[in-house]
Amino acid sequence: MISALKEVLAYISPFDDAELDRIAALFHSLQCRRNEQILREGETCTAFYFVQKGSIRTYFIDKKGNERTRYIMLDNWIGTALTSFISQQPSLECIEAMEDSELLFISHKDFFELNEQLSNWKRFYQRILEMAYAFQNKKIESLVTLSAKERYQQVLEENPALIQRVSNKVLASYLDINPETLSRLKSR
Amino acid sequence: MISALKEVLAYISPFDDAELDRIAALFHSLQCRRNEQILREGETCTAFYFVQKGSIRTYFIDKKGNERTRYIMLDNWIGTALTSFISQQPSLECIEAMEDSELLFISHKDFFELNEQLSNWKRFYQRILEMAYAFQNKKIESLVTLSAKERYQQVLEENPALIQRVSNKVLASYLDINPETLSRLKSR
């Protein structure tokens, strides 16, 4: 299972085999049940995750008490509640397992020690930030410029696994459309 | 004027004086007239800007032809159309001067050469990305969780200079509210 993690790491930064062994040894296992809270609002995020199997999501709760899904991670995806992970301040975002999941994680301490010690890890972190920024930027553009139908079609084209694996309720909150509209779009 | 640039750089990363001299020498001057386009949609962004005097903004155009302001830079702010600057792909965002402005800029080539050569520049770029990510994340949360009035009040508290210096039209597009609503909020 560690080989999938190494593959993803090496895709993002040109680590050599010794570096990959060293990094993989810093990752720990975490098993989660479906709907288990991995990070609660107000807790500080101290781990960066790799999804070996299953799926997790980050979301925040709006003033009306509705969940708003920001980021979804399926098998072989990496990520975390990045704002809190960087700032080490209490998180506005929660992390939750959407299915029974097997995760690997590296601690904040080990992550940023690697960032001091390993130039390829600096590059890895730089790429993570660049990708996260591009993702957020695209999300803002989608929210502001696309209709509900267009946002659905964009995900259908670019990331159909989300449509297949994620519950309607969560997917609707991810696309910022109401569940009834999503059901109608899916049935077409 | 270069001293203001050096101050901002040193605030973000612990450059020593020799590094600041070396970096400042790579910045070039650019004078812009009010409403001048610095980057057009479809052009690739090859410069990273520091606003010495004046103000610029980045915006994109939605499907209905409306301008949507993403990021506003007043005096002593830094930034660019970051997604295109990173990817070197054509930009969806435009950059425009909102007032007659005096800018300094460093080219993409020099920026990323420094990133290979200078560990404090790597740290600078990492901080820029972290801040840009946090800014985008907050923007998404604001768009999704706050009312027009709450978004206005947030900017009023955190960044009152924007309310004073930016035209109602641009500010409305920045807050994603309609200009009439903004006028009503401002008059209270």
Side-chain angles (χ1 to χ4, degrees):
Chain A
M1 287 301 240
I2 291 289
S3 67
L5 168 65
K6 287 181 177 175
E7 217 168 283
V8 170
L9 294 172
Y11 178 78
I12 297 174
S13 184
F15 296 112
D16 64 31
D17 288 346
E19 289 172 333
L20 289 172
D21 286 340
R22 175 179 166 189
I23 295 164
L26 296 171
F27 274 80
H28 310 276
S29 294
L30 179 67
Q31 310 275 333
C32 307
R33 307 294 294 180
R34 182 165 179 265
N35 294 332
E36 188 175 326
Q37 291 274 308
I38 299 164
L39 182 77
R40 287 182 177 75
E41 190 183 341
E43 291 177 348
T44 298
C45 179
T46 58
F48 186 90
Y49 299 95
F50 171 73
V51 179
Q52 284 191 304
K53 199 169 162 224
S55 56
I56 66 178
R57 67 176 176 127
T58 73
Y59 66 93
F60 52 94
I61 296 168
D62 72 17
K63 296 215 163 178
K64 291 177 186 159
N66 298 314
E67 293 177 2
R68 303 292 197 141
T69 301
R70 188 185 62 77
Y71 184 53
I72 294 172
M73 287 176 263
L74 306 181
D75 319 59
N76 296 329
W77 290 44
I78 53 173
T80 192
L82 197 54
T83 300
S84 172
F85 184 72
I86 293 169
S87 68
Q88 289 297 284
Q89 299 294 313
S91 184
L92 292 175
E93 284 188 321
C94 313
I95 307 178
E96 185 185 80
M98 296 193 293
E99 304 171 301
D100 290 354
S101 298
E102 293 171 17
L103 311 180
L104 294 172
F105 72 92
I106 181 171
S107 71
H108 179 270
K109 181 171 166 290
D110 288 337
F111 188 105
F112 283 98
E113 276 179 12
L114 282 178
N115 203 46
E116 293 301 314
Q117 295 163 1
L118 210 61
S119 68
N120 271 335
W121 188 267
K122 268 205 184 71
R123 188 183 299 223
F124 170 80
Y125 181 40
Q126 181 185 304
R127 283 300 298 145
I128 292 292
L129 287 169
E130 288 174 343
M131 290 188 291
Y133 177 80
F135 177 84
Q136 295 293 76
N137 211 31
K138 190 167 181 182
K139 187 136 187 172
I140 290 176
E141 285 173 4
S142 302
L143 278 175
V144 170
T145 67
L146 301 185
S147 67
K149 188 181 165 192
E150 288 167 333
R151 290 205 292 281
Y152 175 77
Q153 283 172 332
Q154 191 180 56
V155 168
L156 189 62
E157 280 164 27
E158 296 177 5
N159 211 339
L162 291 185
I163 312 275
Q164 291 150 14
R165 292 223 356 227
V166 176
S167 74
N168 272 15
K169 188 184 155 212
V170 168
L171 191 61
S173 79
Y174 179 73
L175 295 169
D176 196 36
I177 60 187
N178 73 51
E180 295 71 33
T181 307
L182 179 60
S183 295
R184 215 172 51 241
L185 288 167
K186 274 183 119 170
S187 69
R188 275 183 201 160
Chain B
M1 288 301 243
I2 291 288
S3 67
L5 168 65
K6 286 181 177 175
E7 216 168 282
V8 170
L9 294 172
Y11 178 78
I12 297 173
S13 184
F15 296 111
D16 64 32
D17 288 346
E19 288 172 333
L20 288 173
D21 287 340
R22 174 179 168 191
I23 294 163
L26 295 171
F27 274 79
H28 310 276
S29 294
L30 181 66
Q31 311 275 333
C32 305
R33 308 294 295 178
R34 181 165 180 263
N35 295 332
E36 188 175 326
Q37 292 273 307
I38 299 165
L39 182 76
R40 287 184 178 73
E41 190 182 341
E43 289 177 350
T44 298
C45 179
T46 59
F48 186 90
Y49 298 95
F50 171 73
V51 179
Q52 285 191 303
K53 200 169 161 225
S55 55
I56 66 178
R57 66 176 176 128
T58 72
Y59 66 93
F60 53 92
I61 297 168
D62 72 17
K63 295 216 163 176
K64 291 176 185 159
N66 299 313
E67 294 177 2
R68 303 290 194 144
T69 301
R70 186 183 64 77
Y71 183 54
I72 294 172
M73 286 176 264
L74 307 180
D75 318 59
N76 296 328
W77 289 44
I78 53 174
T80 192
L82 197 55
T83 301
S84 172
F85 185 73
I86 293 169
S87 68
Q88 289 296 286
Q89 299 293 314
S91 184
L92 292 176
E93 283 188 322
C94 313
I95 307 178
E96 185 185 80
M98 296 192 293
E99 304 169 302
D100 292 353
S101 299
E102 293 171 18
L103 310 179
L104 293 173
F105 71 92
I106 182 170
S107 71
H108 178 271
K109 181 171 166 290
D110 288 337
F111 188 106
F112 283 98
E113 276 179 13
L114 281 178
N115 203 46
E116 293 301 315
Q117 293 162 4
L118 210 60
S119 68
N120 271 335
W121 188 267
K122 267 204 183 72
R123 189 183 300 220
F124 170 80
Y125 181 41
Q126 182 185 303
R127 282 301 298 146
I128 292 292
L129 288 169
E130 287 174 344
M131 291 188 291
Y133 178 80
F135 177 84
Q136 295 294 75
N137 210 32
K138 189 167 180 181
K139 187 137 186 169
I140 290 176
E141 284 173 4
S142 302
L143 279 175
V144 170
T145 67
L146 300 185
S147 67
K149 188 181 164 192
E150 288 166 332
R151 290 204 292 279
Y152 175 76
Q153 284 173 331
Q154 190 179 57
V155 168
L156 189 62
E157 281 164 26
E158 295 177 6
N159 212 338
L162 291 185
I163 311 276
Q164 291 150 16
R165 291 219 3 223
V166 176
S167 73
N168 271 16
K169 189 184 155 211
V170 168
L171 192 61
S173 79
Y174 179 73
L175 294 170
D176 197 36
I177 62 187
N178 72 52
E180 294 72 34
T181 306
L182 179 60
S183 296
R184 215 170 52 241
L185 288 168
K186 274 183 120 170
S187 68
R188 279 185 199 161

